[in-house]
Amino acid sequence: QVQLVESGGGLVQPGGSLRLSCAASGFSLHDYVIGWFRQAPGKEREGVSCISGSDRGTHYADSVKGRFTISRDNAKNTVYLQMNSLEPEDTAVYYCAADGLRDFCSFQLWEYDDWGQGTQVTVSS
């Protein structure tokens, strides 16, 4: 059974950092496209970052470029999202998702078949 579990969310002050984890079970993350998405109250779910299968490349939303870094630890079957210089606008529920069909990642929600339950990130003083 494919399962994704996010962790690492919490409350942080503006300018602070968090590292989100997306742990997979039931399949190997290495060959999958993994995306991080977020959804703020009253807003649509949006792509934040993604990493292509077999580490062919990464992609970031303009709003997080230079602040967020996505990485993959194949030994732990986990993908991380390091978030630095957090801003109140980053407040949202963050989800990871997996796409086992395509080689290169995108922010098209419909391409992702499996989703985690989400983890809340709140940036506030």
Side-chain angles (χ1 to χ4, degrees):
Q1 180 181 358
V2 172
Q3 189 174 16
L4 297 170
V5 178
E6 303 96 335
S7 62
L11 173 64
V12 64
Q13 292 186 343
S17 298
L18 285 174
R19 188 178 77 160
L20 304 184
S21 299
C22 173
S25 60
F27 70 104
S28 173
L29 279 178
H30 178 259
D31 295 325
Y32 278 65
V33 166
I34 302 296
W36 280 101
F37 297 81
R38 67 187 181 187
Q39 188 165 18
K43 295 188 176 181
E44 294 185 351
R45 192 168 298 190
E46 63 176 0
V48 176
S49 180
C50 60
I51 184 166
S52 295
S54 302
D55 295 334
R56 289 187 176 92
T58 58
H59 184 56
Y60 297 91
D62 288 343
S63 59
V64 306
K65 279 181 182 177
R67 300 189 298 122
F68 291 11
T69 303
I70 191 170
S71 62
R72 191 199 309 260
D73 185 333
N74 293 324
K76 295 183 178 180
N77 213 29
T78 300
V79 170
Y80 302 99
L81 184 68
Q82 177 67 43
M83 307 186 297
N84 299 327
S85 301
L86 283 161
E87 304 168 352
E89 293 74 22
D90 296 317
T91 295
V93 178
Y94 283 71
Y95 301 89
C96 66
D99 168 15
L101 293 180
R102 279 153 280 270
D103 293 330
F104 295 95
C105 73
S106 79
F107 290 155
Q108 297 294 332
L109 274 70
W110 59 266
E111 293 183 355
Y112 293 84
D113 299 313
D114 299 289
W115 292 78
Q117 82 290 348
T119 185
Q120 176 71 46
V121 171
T122 303
V123 184
S124 175
S125 55

